[in-house]
Amino acid sequence: MNWWHELSLADWRKHEKQGDHWLPFQQYLRKFAETQFEYPGGEGRGIVTCAGGSLLPGAYIALKRLRLLGYEGPVELWHLGLGEMSDAWRKTFDALEVRSRDALLERAAHPIHKLAGWQLKMYAIVLSAFRELLFLDADNAPLQNPGNLFEAASYAEHGCLFWPDRERHGPEHSLWDIWDVPYRDEPQHETGQMVIDRERCWRALQVAMHANEWAEFHYRFSHG
């Protein structure tokens, strides 16, 4: 996989002590801008979700409802290890024609510095078998068949589709300096549902994966 592992926490903390908090990441962005990331492939459209342990009943309700609403496409359900997915639960999801994918097994081939709850969402999107996907949180129950979202005009134009969250980052927020972009008065976007064309958005997904991999730094300023 393409994301980088070159920046250690020691690099961040050294520059923080010197007062230049964001220099390591801005250096990373400049280096990133010169890099060509090759899209690794993926075919078709599908739905991706993450769940395990106590979240499995909610995921079952959401995915069962998807089938009852007429969604017949493929679905991937990502989890973290056998401790989060018993054989009984796996068979239950198999009956819904949902493919269970163990991220800890994938990690052997695609190493990542940190992999936990929020990181799993981006990890699943980056490693999904689909080119185009609708990501749904496990507690996100649809009211109608969401398959038509792939036909939305804004998705066709941009290759992604997001929904606004309730909060905004004000002009004083550190993220504008960290990412070296001008302030924009706009809402944060909700990550409980996202439509993404992985091929068109591959470079952006690499940045997002990096920010989640180094959660010890980035989660101090954002919620994943």
Side-chain angles (χ1 to χ4, degrees):
M1 199 48 61
N2 296 144
W3 64 82
W4 294 0
H5 310 267
E6 297 176 2
L7 295 177
S8 71
L9 285 179
D11 293 329
W12 300 110
R13 290 167 178 158
K14 176 184 69 175
H15 286 277
E16 282 185 322
K17 289 179 180 178
Q18 295 172 353
D20 196 350
H21 295 66
W22 324 131
L23 179 61
F25 189 62
Q26 289 172 354
Q27 289 175 334
Y28 162 79
L29 285 179
R30 286 193 290 271
K31 191 173 183 180
F32 176 91
E34 300 171 356
T35 301
Q36 296 298 318
F37 289 118
E38 181 179 355
Y39 174 62
E43 299 295 333
R45 295 171 172 174
I47 289 177
V48 175
T49 190
C50 300
S54 63
L55 296 177
L56 291 175
Y60 174 78
I61 292 171
L63 297 177
K64 177 70 172 180
R65 183 164 180 79
L66 273 173
R67 295 308 192 198
L68 292 174
L69 289 169
Y71 177 76
E72 299 178 348
V75 179
E76 293 180 346
L77 171 59
W78 287 72
H79 61 95
L80 289 165
L82 297 178
E84 287 197 345
M85 179 71 71
S86 67
D87 288 340
W89 270 114
R90 189 183 304 277
K91 292 177 182 177
T92 299
F93 287 110
D94 286 346
L96 292 177
E97 298 184 16
V98 171
R99 179 189 179 191
S100 299
R101 297 190 62 177
D102 186 342
L104 297 189
L105 294 179
E106 300 283 353
R107 192 177 190 177
H110 305 289
I112 182 173
H113 166 65
K114 186 176 181 63
L115 183 58
W118 283 348
Q119 290 91 356
L120 179 60
K121 294 171 66 168
M122 185 53 58
Y123 195 73
I125 290 171
V126 168
L127 293 179
S128 171
F130 311 128
R131 172 186 164 177
E132 299 176 85
L133 61 87
L134 166 62
F135 180 88
L136 288 176
D137 273 352
D139 59 357
N140 195 326
L143 299 178
Q144 59 181 342
N145 188 333
N148 62 351
L149 292 172
F150 293 106
E151 310 303 328
S154 55
Y155 172 70
E157 179 180 359
H158 300 289
C160 54
L161 188 62
F162 302 108
W163 282 257
D165 208 341
R166 294 175 296 176
E167 299 180 1
R168 295 170 180 258
H169 289 311
E172 74 289 346
H173 200 283
S174 300
L175 279 175
W176 305 110
D177 292 327
I178 294 171
W179 292 88
D180 196 23
V181 295
Y183 166 70
R184 293 180 296 189
D185 183 15
E186 61 185 19
Q188 302 173 34
H189 77 256
E190 163 64 36
T191 63
Q193 58 283 326
M194 301 177 282
V195 187
I196 299 174
D197 182 327
R198 292 171 60 249
E199 183 171 18
R200 293 177 63 183
C201 298
W202 191 243
R203 287 177 60 82
L205 288 174
Q206 301 312 301
V207 176
M209 188 69 254
H210 175 86
N212 280 271
E213 179 176 19
W214 294 101
E216 296 98 326
F217 176 80
H218 290 283
Y219 283 15
R220 288 183 289 166
F221 309 100
S222 66
H223 302 299

